[in-house]
Amino acid sequence: MYLHLMKIQYFNAAAYLTSKIEDWFLLLLFVNSGCSLIRGIDVHDPGWMKKIQRGPIAKGLKARKTELCCAMFRKSNPYLDALSDEDYCTIRSVFKRLGRPKSVATIRNYRNEIAHRGLPAIDVAEFSPNFQFPRQQGSVMSLAISASAPIDYKFLNLYENAVEALKHMETELLRLKKIPVLEPR
């Protein structure tokens, strides 16, 4: 039992960090753009990082080179305008592809279950609680926790998904590393 729990504990930490890669990528784009991809964020306010999300970054990435749109000129982002067409296309491509594979979604879903729903059952059902909705028993409300949960995941399948997800993310991030404004200093 102890070996199983240790294996899962280390895997959970890896799943958490794997899921953070996309968050770090979005933060990298935001900061390297001179904080210009999302308007109205004051980096001196507490909690400013919570506003760095996929939707606003996607909208910000579209603001390249002034174009006539809906009978008006759309504002342009000088940071994006300064990028070569190839670098801009690479950033957009990585943005679209980073979280797309099924393996990445599987690890992200697993991480969300760990963080928000309790421990999912992996291989051995008895090691995970099975929460049930509270029931009225006379004048008392009771939260039931049965001894075992249905098995949610097989460890070897999860592990294969994690390896595939990390390889995919590594490939995409190496593409970014070739862009001069994004390479580590």
Side-chain angles (χ1 to χ4, degrees):
M1 180 172 100
Y2 179 71
L3 288 175
H4 178 78
L5 294 176
M6 290 298 295
K7 170 181 74 174
I8 298 305
Q9 181 181 1
Y10 284 115
F11 185 81
N12 289 352
Y16 172 76
L17 293 174
T18 301
S19 296
K20 292 295 295 172
I21 291 173
E22 188 173 20
D23 295 338
W24 293 329
F25 166 65
L26 297 176
L27 184 60
L28 172 76
L29 288 180
F30 178 75
V31 170
N32 275 312
S33 74
C35 302
S36 66
L37 290 179
I38 304 173
R39 296 175 194 233
I41 292 182
D42 181 359
V43 296
H44 302 291
D45 284 344
W48 67 272
M49 282 191 194
K50 292 178 184 174
K51 297 176 184 174
I52 311 300
Q53 297 174 355
R54 187 170 182 76
I57 292 284
K59 183 178 178 184
L61 283 173
K62 292 178 183 175
R64 182 166 192 250
K65 303 209 175 158
T66 305
E67 296 176 355
L68 186 59
C69 178
C70 304
M72 298 176 61
F73 281 100
R74 181 172 55 192
K75 283 195 172 187
S76 178
N77 182 317
Y79 168 77
L80 297 175
D81 293 344
L83 293 172
S84 71
D85 289 341
E86 182 181 346
D87 291 347
Y88 177 71
C89 287
T90 300
I91 289 172
R92 293 285 306 258
S93 171
V94 170
F95 180 81
K96 290 177 185 174
R97 295 180 57 182
L98 193 62
R100 186 174 286 170
K102 186 178 181 206
S103 60
V104 174
T106 298
I107 297 303
R108 185 184 314 113
N109 291 339
Y110 175 75
R111 179 257 168 216
N112 289 343
E113 285 190 41
I114 296 167
H116 304 294
R117 294 177 198 86
L119 296 175
I122 301 173
D123 294 334
V124 183
E126 289 79 22
F127 294 159
S128 297
N130 185 18
F131 297 102
Q132 298 173 356
F133 284 100
R135 296 178 193 195
Q136 186 77 34
Q137 294 178 341
S139 62
V140 178
M141 188 67 90
S142 147
L143 174 64
I145 303 175
S146 64
S148 65
I151 294 178
D152 298 311
Y153 297 97
K154 296 286 186 188
F155 182 77
L156 293 178
N157 293 344
L158 266 180
Y159 186 80
E160 287 174 12
N161 278 296
V163 168
E164 186 180 320
L166 282 173
K167 284 180 182 178
H168 168 75
M169 290 181 164
E170 177 187 32
T171 300
E172 294 301 315
L173 294 176
L174 286 173
R175 290 177 58 209
L176 283 180
K177 190 177 177 184
K178 295 177 184 173
I179 299 173
V181 296
L182 296 177
E183 70 183 7
R185 301 190 200 300

PDB file of all heavy atoms in Angstrom, residues 1 34 38 40 64:
ATOM      1  N   MET A   1       0.823  -1.182   0.000  1.00  0.00           N
ATOM      2  CA  MET A   1       0.000   0.000   0.000  1.00  0.00           C
ATOM      3  C   MET A   1       0.871   1.251   0.000  1.00  0.00           C
ATOM      4  O   MET A   1       0.620   2.185  -0.756  1.00  0.00           O
ATOM      5  CB  MET A   1      -0.926   0.006   1.215  1.00  0.00           C
ATOM      6  CG  MET A   1      -1.805   1.237   1.266  1.00  0.00           C
ATOM      7  SD  MET A   1      -3.043   1.150   2.556  1.00  0.00           S
ATOM      8  CE  MET A   1      -2.276   2.135   3.801  1.00  0.00           C
ATOM      9  N   GLY A  34       5.879  42.839 -23.275  1.00  0.00           N
ATOM     10  CA  GLY A  34       5.845  44.099 -22.537  1.00  0.00           C
ATOM     11  C   GLY A  34       4.503  44.285 -21.860  1.00  0.00           C
ATOM     12  O   GLY A  34       4.038  45.411 -21.668  1.00  0.00           O
ATOM     13  N   ILE A  38      -2.712  41.774 -23.157  1.00  0.00           N
ATOM     14  CA  ILE A  38      -4.001  41.949 -22.492  1.00  0.00           C
ATOM     15  C   ILE A  38      -4.022  43.360 -21.932  1.00  0.00           C
ATOM     16  O   ILE A  38      -3.189  43.715 -21.099  1.00  0.00           O
ATOM     17  CB  ILE A  38      -4.218  40.925 -21.350  1.00  0.00           C
ATOM     18  CG1 ILE A  38      -4.073  39.495 -21.865  1.00  0.00           C
ATOM     19  CG2 ILE A  38      -5.592  41.129 -20.712  1.00  0.00           C
ATOM     20  CD1 ILE A  38      -4.113  38.441 -20.771  1.00  0.00           C
ATOM     21  N   GLY A  40      -5.182  46.600 -19.796  1.00  0.00           N
ATOM     22  CA  GLY A  40      -5.781  46.909 -18.510  1.00  0.00           C
ATOM     23  C   GLY A  40      -5.278  46.102 -17.334  1.00  0.00           C
ATOM     24  O   GLY A  40      -5.855  46.172 -16.252  1.00  0.00           O
ATOM     25  N   ARG A  64      -2.208  42.248 -34.728  1.00  0.00           N
ATOM     26  CA  ARG A  64      -0.944  42.440 -35.454  1.00  0.00           C
ATOM     27  C   ARG A  64      -1.214  43.191 -36.740  1.00  0.00           C
ATOM     28  O   ARG A  64      -2.087  42.828 -37.507  1.00  0.00           O
ATOM     29  CB  ARG A  64      -0.315  41.091 -35.778  1.00  0.00           C
ATOM     30  CG  ARG A  64       1.016  41.253 -36.476  1.00  0.00           C
ATOM     31  CD  ARG A  64       1.767  39.939 -36.477  1.00  0.00           C
ATOM     32  NE  ARG A  64       3.133  40.150 -36.885  1.00  0.00           N
ATOM     33  CZ  ARG A  64       3.622  39.723 -38.048  1.00  0.00           C
ATOM     34  NH1 ARG A  64       2.861  39.065 -38.884  1.00  0.00           N
ATOM     35  NH2 ARG A  64       4.881  39.946 -38.346  1.00  0.00           N
TER      36      ARG A  64
END
